[in-house]
Amino acid sequence: MRRKAVEVLANLKNIVILDCDKEALYKQCVSIADKEVFAFRMVNHTDATEGDAYLDMGKVDTSITLTVGCIQVIFLNKFVSSILAFINNFQAAKEALAEVTVQAAEKAATGVMELAERSVRISLDVDFKAPLVFLPQSSSSTNVTVADLGMVTVKNCFALVDSQTHVKIPPIIDTMTVVLSDLKMYRTTFEKGRFQGEIQVLKPVNLDLSIQRNLSASWYHSIPDIKITAHLKPMNLILSQDDMTVVLRTLGENMSETSDAVSPRPPPSTVDHSDTATTGGTGTISTSGNIVVTAAMVETQKSTKLKNILKVDFKFDSMTLVLYSPNGTEVTIASLHTFTNTN
């Protein structure tokens, strides 16, 4: 008897990365601000869209539910460089890991192509609190710039396309809706082991994104393979001289700090300076300085019908920039932007 569905559950309750340097001002480089890091649930339905069920848009092959909590990250280039210096001590293991990563990426790309060819329907229900990124001015400074990436919600649905030429097996589109809400930026200070105060730099921003995919793109070309519609709501920036000073010093100090640990030098490479020659299908190249081209062939391309692969529609409502001079004078600069691009 075949199983009707296979369910996979995964949960991660907590994650903490500590800087064990006794003189470190920021001890917790990565921590979780919610009850859990993520909760993942995937249900794979067997033959859910076979036969007559293909026309039922409520039927899906796989349903994925993901909830991600808010992760707090304190980015210090000095700490990151110390980790990289430690990893460099294991050069062979790093090369093996890179090779495995490349192979896994190739397999994943192959799997995605197969899914696209078979028009597999995957239902998504993702709620994730984007990371809270803290950028200290330096590893010893209490001035911190914070990027709160807000809340991200991802949902999708499927629909049939009305087509006069494909009635028996109509084309299907997958519409994914992504809502990014309450993205903001502010300054704060780190005192007595806590972040205290909040000086607004970027007021909360919302972004609505719709991604429409043609699941029948291999044989139905009347609509684009991918259509992206984005709507960025009004942006309000508030900047003073102190804000600009902290941001510029963060770029100059934090980003330029490195660890005291010294990475091992790579072994010197040996170069054979003897005269060698390389031959190819179209010529001969010699290290002695002589280059000889023996043949060249130009092949003309056949004219093909253009296909509308990607269509982008981006709308930017407005941006308001409020600048404060040292004497407290306020200057407001407003600009409107609407952009549409079709490829």
Side-chain angles (χ1 to χ4, degrees):
M1 181 177 179
R2 297 185 62 183
R3 297 180 180 178
K4 293 184 178 180
V6 177
E7 184 176 10
V8 178
L9 299 175
N11 294 81
L12 180 61
K13 292 296 183 181
N14 196 14
I15 181 172
V16 178
I17 298 179
L18 301 176
D19 187 351
C20 297
D21 188 348
K22 295 181 180 179
E23 298 180 357
L25 176 62
Y26 301 92
K27 297 293 185 181
Q28 287 194 352
C29 294
V30 177
S31 59
I32 182 70
D34 287 328
K35 296 181 179 179
E36 60 183 1
V37 180
F38 70 83
F40 174 81
R41 179 176 181 265
M42 182 181 72
V43 180
N44 187 19
H45 305 277
T46 305
D47 298 333
T49 58
E50 297 294 330
D52 295 337
Y54 179 83
L55 301 178
D56 187 354
M57 295 297 98
K59 301 288 186 179
V60 297
D61 297 286
T62 304
S63 58
I64 296 176
T65 303
L66 176 64
T67 304
V68 180
C70 181
I71 299 176
Q72 295 183 347
V73 179
I74 300 177
F75 180 84
L76 289 169
N77 194 62
K78 181 179 180 180
F79 178 71
V80 174
S81 63
S82 67
I83 295 178
L84 295 178
F86 175 76
I87 295 176
N88 284 335
N89 293 322
F90 308 93
Q91 188 68 25
K94 187 173 68 171
E95 293 175 356
L97 179 61
E99 183 178 353
V100 172
T101 303
V102 171
Q103 294 176 357
E106 291 176 352
K107 291 182 179 180
T110 304
V112 171
M113 292 178 62
E114 291 177 354
L115 289 176
E117 291 176 357
R118 292 182 296 165
S119 299
V120 175
R121 301 180 208 167
I122 301 177
S123 173
L124 297 176
D125 187 358
V126 179
D127 290 313
F128 116 35
K129 294 181 181 177
L132 197 60
V133 182
F134 296 86
L135 289 170
Q137 182 175 314
S138 68
S139 59
S140 58
S141 174
T142 58
N143 294 327
V144 181
T145 302
V146 184
D148 186 349
L149 303 182
M151 182 77 180
V152 180
T153 303
V154 180
K155 296 183 184 297
N156 70 330
C157 62
F158 301 92
L160 296 174
V161 179
D162 292 333
S163 175
Q164 301 295 331
T165 58
H166 302 87
V167 179
K168 186 176 180 181
I169 304 179
I172 297 177
I173 58 173
D174 174 14
T175 303
M176 181 185 303
T177 303
V178 181
V179 178
L180 175 61
S181 57
D182 294 333
L183 184 151
K184 61 182 179 180
M185 183 178 294
Y186 57 90
R187 288 198 302 117
T188 186
T189 56
F190 187 75
E191 298 176 356
K192 299 179 180 180
R194 297 178 57 189
F195 293 101
Q196 300 182 6
E198 182 176 319
I199 302 175
Q200 198 80 253
V201 175
L202 174 65
K203 291 186 177 181
V205 178
N206 298 325
L207 172 66
D208 294 335
L209 184 66
S210 176
I211 303 174
Q212 179 179 294
R213 296 189 306 121
N214 180 7
L215 298 184
S216 307
S218 60
W219 51 271
Y220 185 71
H221 309 303
S222 298
I223 60 176
D225 293 357
I226 300 177
K227 180 181 177 182
I228 301 176
T229 304
H231 183 194
L232 182 60
K233 304 298 177 63
M235 293 180 60
N236 294 285
L237 283 167
I238 305 172
L239 292 175
S240 66
Q241 184 174 355
D242 291 340
D243 298 329
M244 294 299 298
T245 301
V246 171
V247 171
L248 293 177
R249 285 186 175 179
T250 300
L251 296 175
E253 297 177 16
N254 186 346
M255 300 304 175
S256 62
E257 273 189 314
T258 56
S259 172
D260 296 332
V262 180
S263 301
R265 294 182 179 179
S269 59
T270 59
V271 180
D272 186 3
H273 296 282
S274 61
D275 292 341
T276 58
T278 304
T279 61
T282 59
T284 302
I285 301 176
S286 174
T287 58
S288 60
N290 298 324
I291 301 176
V292 180
V293 179
T294 59
M297 181 177 63
V298 178
E299 182 180 354
T300 59
Q301 295 182 352
K302 297 179 180 180
S303 60
T304 57
K305 186 179 180 180
L306 294 179
K307 179 183 176 183
N308 194 356
I309 298 177
L310 176 64
K311 182 178 180 181
V312 179
D313 185 357
F314 182 78
K315 182 180 180 182
F316 182 11
D317 281 349
S318 66
M319 181 178 69
T320 303
L321 178 60
V322 180
L323 302 176
Y324 286 93
S325 61
N327 58 9
T329 305
E330 177 181 327
V331 179
T332 303
I333 303 174
S335 59
L336 299 176
H337 301 278
T338 300
F339 171 74
T340 302
N341 181 28
T342 303
N343 292 324

